[in-house]
Amino acid sequence: MPFTLPPRTPSGPRRRSLLASAAGAFVLVGCSAPEPSTDTAVHSPSAADRARARAARDSESLAARYAAVITAHPPLAARLKPLRAEVVRHAQAFGGSGTAGSRPSGSPSASGSPSASASAQPSSSPTVPAQEKDALADLAAAERTLADQRTKALLTVPGELARLLASVAAAGAAHAFLLTEGAK
C-alpha cells in the first residue's frame, strides 16, 4: 500500500482572516475615546505634576521650619539635623530644588520659594516658639499635618507618585513621633 500525503492545508491564518482582523482592529481604534490634545497638556500641568510640585514645596517649607528651630535653639541641632536632612531628601525626591538642605544651620529664608499650601506659613521666615518643648511640638504638628495631607492625596495620584507619597507620609508620621517622644 502506497503512502499518501494528506491534502495540503496552509498552517496559520488565511489571508482573508488577517485582512478582516486588521479592518476590525482599525474600526475599534477609530471608535475609542479621543486622546487629549497636546496643546492643553503643554499649557496645563497634570494633576500628578501639580501634586508632585506641591509636595516638593511642602517639604521645602518644612525643612525651612526645621532650620528656623535649629537656629533659634542650637541645643536641639543634634536631634533635629537628621530629621531635617530626611525632609530635604523628600523635597528632592518630589523634584524640589534641594536648596533647603544646603545650609542646615543657616537662615530659614535661604530655603527656596515659600509654599502655597495650607501647611506652610505665609512668611518666608517661620516663627519659632521661645521654649524648646513648644518648638518641638510645633514641628511635630507640622509633620503630622503634612503626613495627613499626603495620605489624603494618595487617592488622586497615579501609582508611582502614590507610593512615594505614602512612603514620605509614613516617614513624616515617624518624625512626629520622634519629635514628641522625649516630651512625655
Side-chain angles (χ1 to χ4, degrees):
M1 178 179 258
F3 179 74
T4 60
L5 293 173
R8 184 170 176 167
T9 57
S11 62
R14 294 184 175 206
R15 196 176 326 170
R16 278 187 217 147
S17 59
L18 283 176
L19 289 174
S21 308
F26 182 72
V27 169
L28 287 176
V29 170
C31 293
S32 65
E35 292 185 20
S37 170
T38 56
D39 294 337
T40 59
V42 170
H43 297 298
S44 67
S46 69
D49 291 340
R50 288 189 306 269
R52 184 180 294 274
R54 183 177 55 249
R57 285 190 313 267
D58 289 345
S59 290
E60 288 173 349
S61 176
L62 185 59
R65 292 179 82 165
Y66 271 97
V69 172
I70 289 170
T71 301
H73 301 289
L76 295 175
R79 183 176 178 185
L80 297 180
K81 280 185 180 181
L83 298 176
R84 183 176 184 278
E86 286 297 315
V87 171
V88 169
R89 280 192 280 278
H90 296 160
Q92 291 170 341
F94 287 119
S97 64
T99 57
S102 61
R103 295 174 53 191
S105 61
S107 69
S109 62
S111 67
S113 63
S115 175
S117 72
S119 68
Q121 293 189 2
S123 68
S124 63
S125 178
T127 57
V128 178
Q131 298 294 321
E132 289 180 1
K133 182 179 178 181
D134 295 335
L136 290 174
D138 279 357
L139 279 176
E143 286 276 14
R144 256 187 244 102
T145 300
L146 194 52
D148 290 345
Q149 287 175 353
R150 288 176 172 162
T151 301
K152 289 176 186 173
L154 290 176
L155 299 174
T156 63
V157 295
E160 191 62 32
L161 181 56
R163 285 186 283 278
L164 180 59
L165 278 173
S167 177
V168 174
H175 290 181
F177 172 78
L178 291 173
L179 289 168
T180 58
E181 179 179 294
K184 294 180 180 180

